């Protein structure tokens, strides 16, 4: 379709700000982005929709427009809903590079423009396949007439003879065709998710083709339209939160028309993804409020009142407030440059869904907040019951990552995800202890090797929870053997070895983060840690020695 046709469609609310001589350009697709550099996701001919969250000052417009022009996009449409009128510096930059620029009225959603372009482009490129896209669009609408992603995948099978599945970044099946045919095995789902994350981390554009035995799959990312400026700072966050469309076919053999159609389908599914993400906002806010109350030492009655508000949202129809568990997650990158809290939040929302459940809805029962590098989940347990050994059932750290460890490890080749799980608590009074318990368990997980690790409250019973019961003479002997050499050295040389040890363990052995926290050069930190090891005869790269130091500091 031509740009001129978009401008002539009143329902799209587009106003031309520059590029009148370029309105005969052909539009081949549409992309919504707020990335400062979206070039890796552009193939040319797109209408780019942006809320301008990438723009911090006037100097940002020129490089952004240059990137779009080099990628060969057809035009830029800037939304006025968030930041008001399109700034003059962007108008000037587009005019300089002959890039058509539209303003999108604040009353028009980007999803409306996306659906219109996909429908028109698919119709012009694929002829009779336009009816398929239109049926997809109808099925993705809200209400009883809609069918969600499952119906879209059924239509791909019935109209295009393509078997396809929608997967989460952990390999959980979100949607699949209900038509006859074998289900996609869980191990295949996990393998496809891992292959997609590994391929995406190399910077290669999708679709990625993966051969598993005699079957070839083509993998298309499903990216939501609403991206925050944070994504421009670290693309790893989007890779670890994107859905994935896996198609049982070799897209390398497809004509351009079919590729365009599948890209259009991914954009339609992205609308559903955005709707799901918007629904999470309320649950995240509830979790954040509860977390702030717990951490600030608020009265149990105040916390209980907030939980009574949260319970109906998380578990509609529940007569009484449930029991709760707390799960803490932390994502840390090897370079130590970016906060891992937002991606830990997104991953935790996915990980806590039963891996055997399907559909996007199960995550609607989980409230996750984040602060800094840490995410905290408040998980309701409406039917906590006693097991055969008398213990309460609920989330178990041993099984939490069983289905997701491999795919997530592929996406965390330069980072780590560690999780800690508390025991179930029955009232607001227990939440603060549960939070500390989950944080202690996560530190135990962080002391282990591997990109993805978890530990539960059961593993604390042998040390943290029993420390008050250790006899005083045993406690003094244990701490003196490990810490007295360091204290003596600190007194003589003011070397601050004890504070260094505490910070090093608290940073889970991360040299970069610890050096930053202590305002030291990494080489200075390495010298101090080496001195600690020399004075105590211990090795801080070994789990056992880390735990001994951890316990000694706790008991001192």
């Amino acid at each position: 379709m031509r740009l001129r046709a978009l401008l002539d469609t009143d329902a799209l609310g587009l106003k031309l700000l520059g590029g009148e001589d370029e309105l005969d350009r052909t539009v081949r697709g549409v992309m919504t982005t707020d990335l400062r550099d979206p070039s890796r996701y552009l193939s040319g001919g797109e209408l780019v929709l942006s809320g301008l969250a990438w723009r911090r000052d006037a100097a940002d417009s020129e490089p952004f427009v240059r990137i779009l022009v080099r990628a060969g996009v057809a035009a830029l449409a800037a939304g006025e809903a968030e930041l008001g009128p399109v700034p003059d510096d962007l108008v000037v930059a587009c005019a300089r590079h002959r890039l058509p620029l539209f303003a999108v009225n604040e009353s028009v959603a980007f999803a409306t423009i996306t659906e219109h372009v996909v429908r028109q482009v698919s119709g012009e490129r694929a002829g009779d396949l336009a009816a398929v896209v239109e049926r997809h669009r109808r099925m993705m609408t809200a209400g009883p007439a809609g069918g969600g992603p499952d119906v879209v995948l059924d239509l791909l099978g019935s109209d295009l003879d393509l078997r396809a599945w929608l997967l989460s970044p952990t390999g959980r099946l979100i949607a699949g065709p209900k038509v006859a045919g074998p289900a996609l095995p869980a191990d295949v789902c996990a393998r496809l998710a891992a292959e997609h994350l590994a391929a995406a981390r190399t910077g290669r554009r999708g679709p990625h083709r993966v051969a598993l035995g005699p079957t070839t799959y083509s993998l298309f990312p499903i990216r939501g339209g609403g991206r925050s400026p944070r994504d421009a700072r670290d693309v790893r966050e989007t890779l670890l939160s994107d859905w994935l469309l896996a198609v049982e076919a070799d897209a390398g053999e497809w004509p351009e028309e079919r590729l365009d159609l599948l890209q259009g389908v991914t954009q339609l599914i992205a609308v559903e993804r955005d709707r799901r993400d918007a629904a999470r906002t309320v649950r995240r806010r509830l979790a954040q409020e509860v977390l702030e109350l717990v951490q600030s030492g608020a009265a149990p009655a105040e916390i209980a009142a907030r939980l009574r508000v949260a319970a109906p949202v998380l578990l509609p129809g529940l007569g009484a407030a449930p029991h709760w568990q707390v799960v803490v997650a932390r994502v840390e990158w090897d370079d130590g440059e970016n906060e891992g809290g937002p991606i830990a939040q997104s991953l935790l929302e996915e990980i806590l869904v039963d891996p055997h459940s399907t559909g996007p809805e199960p995550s609607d029962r989980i409230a996750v907040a984040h602060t800094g590098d840490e995410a905290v989940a408040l998980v309701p347990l409406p039917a906590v019951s006693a097991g055969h050994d008398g213990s309460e059932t609920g989330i178990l750290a041993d099984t939490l990552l069983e289905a997701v460890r491999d795919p997530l490890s592929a996406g965390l080749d330069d980072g780590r995800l560690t999780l800690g799980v508390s025991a179930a608590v029955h009232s607001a009074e227990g939440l603060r202890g549960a939070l500390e318990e989950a944080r202690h368990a996560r530190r135990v997980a962080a002391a282990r090797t591997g990109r993805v690790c978890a530990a539960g409250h059961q593993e604390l019973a042998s040390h943290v929870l029993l420390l008050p019961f250790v006899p005083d003479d045993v406690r003094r002997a244990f701490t003196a053997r490990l810490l007295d050499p360091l204290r003596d050295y600190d007194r003589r040389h003011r070397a601050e070895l004890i504070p260094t040890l505490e910070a090093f363990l608290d940073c889970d052995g991360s040299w970069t983060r610890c050096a930053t926290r202590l305002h030291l050069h990494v080489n200075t930190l390495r010298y101090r840690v080496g001195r600690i090891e020399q004075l105590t005869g211990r090795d801080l790269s070994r789990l056992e020695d880390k735990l001994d130091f951890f316990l000694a500091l706790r008991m001192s």
Side-chain angles (χ1 to χ4, degrees), residues 185-196:
D187 61 331
V188 174
C189 291
R191 177 74 182 278
L192 292 176
E195 293 285 348
H196 171 69

Side-chain angles (χ1 to χ4, degrees), residues 251-459:
E253 301 174 352
W254 287 357
E256 186 175 349
E257 289 81 2
R258 177 160 287 202
L259 276 173
D260 285 347
L261 182 63
L262 261 293
Q263 294 290 357
V265 169
T266 65
Q267 291 168 350
L268 290 174
I269 296 177
V271 175
E272 174 72 12
R273 170 68 189 271
D274 289 343
R275 185 182 298 121
R276 191 284 311 260
D277 287 345
R280 284 184 170 179
T281 302
V282 173
R283 296 187 298 280
R284 287 178 169 181
R285 186 171 65 248
L286 286 172
Q288 196 73 41
E289 291 174 354
V290 173
L291 177 62
E292 290 172 358
L293 288 174
V294 170
Q295 293 190 133
S296 65
E302 187 177 358
I303 299 174
R306 181 56 55 189
L307 289 177
R308 284 193 293 272
V309 173
V313 175
L314 298 177
L315 292 168
L318 189 66
H323 300 170
W324 304 89
Q325 270 183 289
V326 174
V327 181
V328 170
R330 196 179 187 105
V331 169
E332 296 169 301
W333 304 112
D334 293 347
D335 57 24
E337 291 183 357
N338 294 302
E339 289 184 353
I343 188 60
Q345 181 182 48
S346 179
L347 285 175
L348 196 51
E349 287 170 333
E350 174 59 38
I351 290 170
L352 291 174
V353 177
D354 183 344
H356 302 295
S357 66
T358 60
E361 291 78 14
S363 61
D364 293 349
R365 301 295 177 262
I366 299 163
V368 185
H370 80 81
T371 175
D373 288 334
E374 183 183 75
V376 178
L378 188 66
V379 184
L381 301 174
V384 176
S385 59
H388 295 299
D389 59 356
S391 62
E392 290 183 332
T393 59
I395 297 171
L396 299 176
D398 290 341
T399 59
L400 189 61
L401 297 184
E402 183 177 349
V404 300
R405 181 181 285 108
D406 290 343
L408 287 184
S409 295
L412 287 162
D413 60 345
D414 60 348
R416 295 193 75 205
L417 170 68
T418 52
L419 297 102
V421 183
S422 79
V425 295
H426 314 277
S427 64
E429 289 86 346
L431 274 180
R432 188 168 188 177
L435 177 59
E436 289 303 313
E437 191 174 62
R439 283 173 169 163
H440 283 313
R442 193 208 61 79
R443 292 189 184 100
V444 171
R448 297 169 176 163
T449 59
R451 292 293 180 183
V452 183
C453 299
H457 61 93
Q458 302 91 339
E459 300 177 62

